Amino acid sequence: MRILVIEDEEKVASFIQRGLEEEHYTVDIARDGIQGLDMALENIYDAIILDVMLPGKSGFEVLTELRAADITTPVLILTARGSTEDRVRGLDLGADDYLAKPFHFDELAARIRSLIRRSSAQKATRITVGDLVLDTAAHLVWRGDKEIELTAREYELLEFLMRNKHRIVSRTMIMQHVWNDPYNSMSNVVDVYIKRLRSKIEYDGKHFIHNVRGIGYRIKEPNGDA
Ligand code: CA
């Protein structure tokens, strides 16, 4: 799980980072609204913690632009204590939850867990790429009518690729999201699993998983099926 923290107060940012890392999240920090928005648009996060008062762009501006770009990542906004106006405005703009400063880390962690749980329950239960269908509720995969048997890890890898269909995902992103191991990006375990997935899915020679040289992989409809 990878979380973006957009917070200009260094003390607060490192307090959040330390706590989340202890809970085995991967954490990126942005120190202003402009950098935060760029990072949120470029990378895939499981949740975003967004301060309201930020240099560059305010948290509200960042949130508005994210939702306008169809980024549905759950966002928890950090508001000043007692500011009902900020809370209402944040929720109206598409925030999923808020927390007033100062807060206890345990409460932040509980809210993040619940946001991530809710958002994965809300996501489409069926994702399709051409005739490849993945059912996230049943954990089953088909090509047309043929069920494809996958191991738990192969399934998770395929789900991650399909949730990000048409987008390039790097080996590092895959290590972070599927293996929860951001420090092992040089290992070839990803390539080994991609090869296994291909042999199970692309049995008739149709290519779904494309290698993007030097970066990672992308899943898309086989040529002619799009
Ligand atoms: Ca601030």
Side-chain angles (χ1 to χ4, degrees):
M1 295 288 173
R2 187 174 178 190
I3 296 182
L4 174 63
V5 178
I6 310 176
E7 166 63 84
D8 58 317
E9 279 169 75
E10 202 166 334
K11 261 173 131 177
V12 179
S14 58
F15 164 72
I16 296 174
Q17 180 174 29
R18 253 195 333 268
L20 290 175
E21 283 177 351
E22 272 172 26
E23 307 227 342
H24 306 290
Y25 294 99
T26 303
V27 180
D28 291 344
I29 305 274
R31 298 243 178 260
D32 63 61
I34 294 167
Q35 187 197 11
L37 181 64
D38 281 349
M39 289 168 77
L41 293 173
E42 265 166 37
N43 303 295
I44 299 161
Y45 292 102
D46 297 288
I48 297 171
I49 298 171
L50 177 62
D51 186 31
V52 172
M53 300 285 285
L54 288 168
K57 275 179 198 293
S58 75
F60 294 137
E61 289 175 291
V62 172
L63 183 57
T64 305
E65 293 191 38
L66 276 182
R67 296 307 186 226
D70 281 334
I71 300 218
T72 57
T73 309
V75 172
L76 178 131
I77 50 170
L78 300 177
T79 63
R81 199 221 293 260
S83 175
T84 314
E85 224 171 274
D86 277 4
R87 294 203 294 267
V88 172
R89 182 153 176 224
L91 296 172
D92 279 348
L93 289 175
D96 299 85
D97 202 357
Y98 64 85
L99 194 57
K101 288 179 176 179
F103 50 84
H104 285 285
F105 180 77
D106 288 348
E107 183 171 10
L108 177 74
R111 282 168 187 257
I112 289 293
R113 278 196 298 274
S114 127
L115 273 189
I116 292 175
R117 224 176 16 239
R118 260 191 281 155
S119 102
S120 55
Q122 276 166 8
K123 282 178 190 160
T125 61
R126 280 194 171 212
I127 310 170
T128 61
V129 176
D131 68 351
L132 180 64
V133 180
L134 180 137
D135 185 319
T136 62
H139 279 224
L140 293 174
V141 176
W142 299 270
R143 277 271 324 267
D145 296 333
K146 182 181 156 55
E147 188 180 332
I148 313 263
E149 285 192 28
L150 300 178
T151 64
R153 191 72 87 180
E154 289 164 356
Y155 172 86
E156 278 183 59
L157 173 58
L158 183 62
E159 181 179 331
F160 182 66
L161 290 171
M162 288 180 76
R163 282 198 191 279
N164 296 292
K165 65 180 174 180
H166 306 148
R167 292 182 69 172
I168 298 169
V169 292
S170 68
R171 286 181 183 77
T172 309
M173 285 173 173
I174 293 173
M175 284 310 295
Q176 285 169 346
H177 289 268
V178 180
W179 273 267
N180 269 326
D181 185 358
Y183 305 109
N184 202 12
S185 59
M186 300 311 284
S187 138
N188 71 344
V189 63
V190 172
D191 304 279
V192 170
Y193 271 82
I194 291 280
K195 211 170 164 182
R196 287 189 202 163
L197 261 187
R198 275 193 177 136
S199 71
K200 291 187 178 182
I201 291 165
E202 301 177 350
Y203 54 83
D204 56 357
K206 286 196 171 185
H207 289 300
F208 287 84
I209 301 174
H210 298 258
N211 194 348
V212 182
R213 200 202 295 246
I215 305 175
Y217 295 96
R218 166 165 52 185
I219 198 162
K220 60 178 187 159
E221 291 81 3
N223 288 340
D225 272 18

